[in-house]
Amino acid sequence: MQLTGARIVLTGATGGLGEALARALAKKGAVLLLTGRDPDKLARLQMPAGSDYRLLQADLGTSVGIDEIVAAAQQFEADMLINNAGVGGFGLLDEQDGKEIERILRTNLEAPIQLTRSLLPQLRMRPAAAVVNIGSAFGSIPFAGFAAYSAAKAGLRGFSQALRRELADSRVEVFHIAPRAIDTPLNSPAVNALNQALGNASDSPEKVAAAIVDLLACCARERVLGFPERLFAWLNGLAPALVDGGVKGKLAVIKRHAAKKI
Ligand SMILES: NC(=O)c1ccc[n+]([C@@H]2O[C@H](COP(=O)([O-])OP(=O)(O)OC[C@H]3O[C@@H](n4cnc5c(N)ncnc54)[C@H](OP(=O)(O)O)[C@@H]3O)[C@@H](O)[C@H]2O)c1
């Protein structure tokens, strides 16, 4: 999709990936409505000189917050919605409380679905439009220690595929882009230590933002970013028992890091 002049709503713009993506899109000439929950972080966003953007504080954890984004996006005449806001969720399931599970599912899955649903009538009217869902490699390689997060991101992947098929006769494109680990505040020190212990690569937000911008301008609608993660995602779809065995071999390390709870 043409990014120059595209009017893009980006959630989670105050986060590590969100801010890098906002800058990369601005450099391509996109006009941005940047949303985040924390007003101080929003005010501190560093955008390239000359970029055309507006800021909106809204909490995706509340229906009021979602309504505020929808109203602003309608006024803004958005033709692309990037569902990027998200929260992490490392921990063994029986050690997570109900509120934490609710927050993980609400932010990573329900909020993007509700936002998309509300903005769809307006997106359908644009000459070219897109919904872009930022998933995670864990949505295709569900991982021990991340059960609720993996469930939310697998749900987002399923939502993206179903919606793409539902909108096949419209002008609205649906992208699902699933990064592997990224160096952002989403990952607690315990997650970073786990990634290091397992030898999992972690990308810079700028590298991931550049890959997303490339995909939007090109042809692929569905992509797991990084190798060997893309291979394991494919393998998990084909022979999940093989991946079960691989993850079982890492379980003791995962449990040790989950016990650190930081
Ligand atoms: N980091 C990784 O390793 C990794 C790997 C794969 C995929 N991802 C995905 O990439 C996306 C961006 O994550 P990130 O790494 O950039 O995380 P991050 O630095 O923690 O940023 C998260 C963003 O989401 C926003 N957010 C969280 N809860 C919100 C709520 N209730 N209402 C409104 N905004 C809310 C935050 O806003 P405030 O700061 O204003 O609260 C922040 O802008 C997420 O979907 C994540 O799942 C991340």
Side-chain angles (χ1 to χ4, degrees):
M1 188 172 156
Q2 173 65 254
L3 291 176
T4 310
R7 303 184 69 79
I8 302 176
V9 178
L10 173 65
T11 69
T14 49
L17 176 58
E19 184 165 3
L21 193 50
R23 284 199 209 111
L25 291 166
K27 283 186 190 153
K28 290 283 177 192
V31 182
L32 301 167
L33 174 61
L34 303 174
T35 83
R37 183 180 37 177
D38 182 331
D40 297 332
K41 286 197 222 161
L42 263 180
R44 285 198 302 269
L45 279 179
Q46 301 277 324
M47 295 297 287
S51 19
D52 188 348
Y53 66 97
R54 298 119 185 82
L55 302 175
L56 175 71
Q57 189 276 332
D59 185 349
L60 286 166
T62 68
S63 44
V64 171
I66 290 186
D67 290 348
E68 284 167 350
I69 297 178
V70 170
Q74 281 166 346
Q75 208 174 23
F76 175 69
E77 300 190 327
D79 39 34
M80 185 186 291
L81 166 66
I82 305 183
N83 286 306
N84 164 73
V87 291
F90 180 41
L92 304 179
L93 187 66
D94 52 4
E95 291 172 5
Q96 289 179 313
D97 68 29
K99 286 270 171 237
E100 169 77 350
I101 304 286
E102 248 174 50
R103 195 173 68 96
I104 292 168
L105 295 175
R106 167 75 183 184
T107 319
N108 295 323
L109 179 60
E110 191 192 340
I113 294 177
Q114 296 285 11
L115 255 187
T116 305
R117 181 193 69 81
S118 300
L119 279 179
L120 209 45
Q122 130 144 25
L123 293 176
R124 279 180 183 281
M125 287 173 3
R126 309 296 293 173
V131 175
V132 182
N133 293 321
I134 304 301
S136 160
F138 285 171
S140 298
I141 319 160
F143 213 72
F146 296 86
Y149 181 78
S150 298
K153 291 297 189 178
L156 190 67
R157 182 167 65 94
F159 168 65
S160 308
Q161 292 178 344
L163 188 67
R164 183 182 309 124
R165 292 162 191 168
E166 192 169 310
L167 296 175
D169 59 356
S170 80
R171 291 188 296 267
V172 186
E173 307 265 19
V174 181
F175 293 79
H176 174 257
I177 302 172
R180 62 182 177 187
I182 317 170
D183 308 325
T184 73
L186 183 112
N187 293 324
S188 63
V191 174
N192 290 329
L194 174 66
N195 281 334
Q196 209 164 17
L198 297 179
N200 293 340
S202 190
D203 294 318
S204 72
E206 290 73 23
K207 180 178 172 182
V208 178
I212 293 171
V213 164
D214 282 352
L215 280 170
L216 295 183
C218 173
C219 29
R221 300 287 172 266
E222 184 91 30
R223 181 64 60 87
V224 175
L225 300 178
F227 186 86
E229 288 78 2
R230 201 177 312 156
L231 173 67
F232 287 130
W234 173 80
L235 188 64
N236 192 75
L238 218 61
L242 283 180
V243 180
D244 289 350
V247 177
K248 189 175 177 188
K250 302 173 192 290
L251 193 53
V253 179
I254 295 168
K255 286 187 169 178
R256 197 163 64 243
H257 285 84
K260 291 181 188 156
K261 290 190 176 17
I262 47 166

